[in-house]
Amino acid sequence: MRILNLLPVAFSLFALSVSANGPSINDGPYLIQSSPSQQSAYWICDSQLKQSSATPHNNQVKFNRPKTCTELPEPVLNPVARQVLADTYQGVKKIVALSDVHGQYDVLITLLRNHQIIDEHNNWSFGDGHMVITGDMFDRGHQVNEVLWFIYQLDKQANEAGGQLHLLMGNHEQMVMRGDMRYVHPRYDTAVKLLERSYDKLYGDDTEIGQWLRSKHTIVKINDMLFLHGGISKEWVERQLTLEQANALYRQNIDKSKAELKENELLNFLFFGNGPTWYRGYFKAEFTQAELDTILAYFKVNRVVVGHTSQERVLGLFNNRVIAIDSSIKLGHSGELLLINENGLIRGKYDGQQVPL
């Protein structure tokens, strides 16, 4: 019998021990629908499984962590978390962009605080600005769940402040959702074991984070810039795809297996190879200015901003027509972000310094 079927609902808590071998693990919460109208939160506290239900909080719904689960997120539900946003915006006065966090929560928080994107309590302080994260929150690092709940919170706060957060899907989000677990940190073995769910099902379509992620775009256009994880190749232009078509196809097919995706020629392109979440062509010697000009003209933009291909810093190529924002946050030591405002294009260094790109 599945453990979830044994867990009581309402406001009860209980623990289930795992092996005494190995370090004590704190993880969660994982918010899973126990009925069409109710969610339960599952926590790993000192390597034990615990459960809690929702409580009212200032006319909102909050999940309080158990006392033995210090430091883990305490989510307040976002009633519009599953809303599919527009994929094109104009007139945005300030933008911040970063990529490839890969579970490095501490680096992310330090970087955003140092540039006043969030305050000392980790709340949104970027006003009506737009924040773009071009994918790869998952895999490698040990604080993926903390990163996801933090961004979930910022998504709600940005919207309430008149701004917007754009979390775009990267290749590692796609990998996890189709069950490719090669890069999952071993910390999450405990949750998989105790909840009797594979890692991908911890973010399945019956979970709060899973439903939120499945509403997100893969590509967004803001002002005269295109943002995405890998890059747009000339094959996209040859196929005459639109942002709306591609974003819809990604959402509709995110849970299909690799074999299923490869059976369809268009999906094979979108999810692999030269598709937008895997493409690295901008960083190869054979890529030309003429090829870039064709791509930019197709979308009627002046720049494309991408992650995926790791750099030591935010880097401009082709006279800043291509901006690479994967600054190797995944290594867990430091990182940078891109700021775009009335002063132009700015490198935001880890210590808070800002210099023109």
Side-chain angles (χ1 to χ4, degrees):
M1 184 179 293
R2 294 181 60 81
I3 290 176
L4 290 184
N5 294 333
L6 296 173
L7 291 169
V9 294
F11 292 86
S12 61
L13 295 169
F14 89 104
L16 176 66
S17 298
V18 293
S19 170
N21 298 324
S24 180
I25 299 295
N26 286 342
D27 184 23
Y30 297 97
L31 265 59
I32 302 172
Q33 262 185 309
S34 50
S35 71
S37 59
Q38 183 177 12
Q39 295 189 83
S40 292
Y42 299 93
W43 316 73
I44 313 299
C45 306
D46 294 329
S47 298
Q48 298 180 325
L49 181 64
K50 297 192 175 185
Q51 180 197 9
S52 65
S53 295
T55 59
H57 176 74
N58 296 331
N59 297 318
Q60 301 181 91
V61 177
K62 183 179 181 182
F63 287 84
N64 296 307
R65 62 177 173 249
K67 292 181 179 179
T68 53
C69 256
T70 58
E71 305 304 322
L72 290 180
E74 292 187 297
V76 175
L77 293 190
N78 180 3
V80 295
R82 303 170 188 87
Q83 179 182 353
V84 177
L85 301 174
D87 57 23
T88 301
Y89 296 81
Q90 293 294 329
V92 178
K93 294 181 180 179
K94 57 181 182 178
I95 303 169
V96 60
L98 61 118
S99 188
D100 293 76
V101 173
H102 283 295
Q104 297 295 344
Y105 175 79
D106 294 333
V107 173
L108 175 63
I109 293 298
T110 298
L111 181 60
L112 294 179
R113 280 186 182 178
N114 284 345
H115 289 280
Q116 291 81 53
I117 308 302
I118 59 174
D119 64 20
E120 68 274 18
H121 303 295
N122 300 340
N123 294 314
W124 178 265
S125 60
F126 199 50
D128 62 357
H130 284 222
M131 180 176 180
V132 186
I133 304 176
T134 63
D136 279 11
M137 302 297 97
F138 279 96
D139 287 344
R140 304 188 191 281
H142 69 294
Q143 290 180 295
V144 171
N145 217 31
E146 287 88 339
V147 167
L148 290 170
W149 280 117
F150 167 67
I151 297 171
Y152 177 95
Q153 167 191 282
L154 278 193
D155 194 1
K156 180 176 184 290
Q157 293 175 346
N159 181 266
E160 291 170 347
Q164 193 65 66
L165 189 147
H166 308 275
L167 175 59
L168 306 180
M169 296 293 96
N171 62 306
H172 280 268
E173 280 74 33
Q174 294 169 356
M175 290 167 69
V176 165
M177 289 187 183
R178 66 171 176 263
D180 186 339
M181 307 304 165
R182 285 176 290 163
Y183 299 97
V184 176
H185 193 279
R187 176 193 181 193
Y188 298 103
D189 293 346
T190 302
V192 168
K193 181 175 182 178
L194 289 177
L195 284 165
E196 290 191 347
R197 280 188 166 225
S198 60
Y199 184 75
D200 58 314
K201 297 303 181 186
L202 295 177
Y203 302 99
D205 61 8
D206 63 343
T207 70
E208 182 67 20
I209 290 292
Q211 292 175 0
W212 171 66
L213 289 172
R214 284 165 176 79
S215 74
K216 299 305 179 184
H217 293 312
T218 302
I219 313 169
V220 68
K221 179 179 174 181
I222 305 176
N223 298 341
D224 66 345
M225 288 166 287
L226 198 69
F227 295 84
L228 70 158
H229 185 65
I232 296 293
S233 66
K234 63 181 180 181
E235 186 174 347
W236 174 293
V237 178
E238 292 164 355
R239 291 176 177 272
Q240 296 289 295
L241 287 165
T242 68
L243 293 187
E244 184 178 14
Q245 288 171 334
N247 282 323
L249 285 168
Y250 279 119
R251 283 193 297 273
Q252 292 162 8
N253 295 282
I254 191 69
D255 291 303
K256 287 186 176 177
S257 68
K258 186 174 183 177
E260 289 174 311
L261 294 170
K262 284 188 169 292
E263 286 177 356
N264 181 288
E265 192 236 355
L266 178 56
L267 295 180
N268 184 45
F269 162 69
L270 286 174
F271 280 87
F272 306 105
N274 284 331
T277 58
W278 283 94
Y279 184 63
R280 300 185 194 270
Y282 305 146
F283 306 92
K284 296 181 178 179
E286 60 267 26
F287 187 81
T288 66
Q289 180 71 56
E291 190 173 348
L292 177 60
D293 289 343
T294 298
I295 292 165
L296 296 177
Y298 180 84
F299 288 99
K300 297 182 175 66
V301 296
N302 291 324
R303 294 182 176 86
V304 58
V305 181
V306 299
H308 188 51
T309 303
S310 297
Q311 315 294 327
E312 294 181 355
R313 45 159 285 191
V314 170
L315 181 67
L317 303 171
F318 297 96
N319 196 28
N320 288 341
R321 299 298 186 183
V322 172
I323 304 176
I325 60 170
D326 177 354
S327 59
S328 299
I329 292 173
K330 67 184 178 185
L331 300 179
H333 306 305
S334 65
E336 294 191 355
L337 49 75
L338 172 68
L339 288 163
I340 305 155
N341 55 34
E342 69 276 6
N343 296 317
L345 304 170
I346 300 165
R347 267 179 69 202
K349 295 185 177 182
Y350 191 55
D351 62 1
Q353 291 186 69
Q354 297 182 2
V355 297
L357 184 62

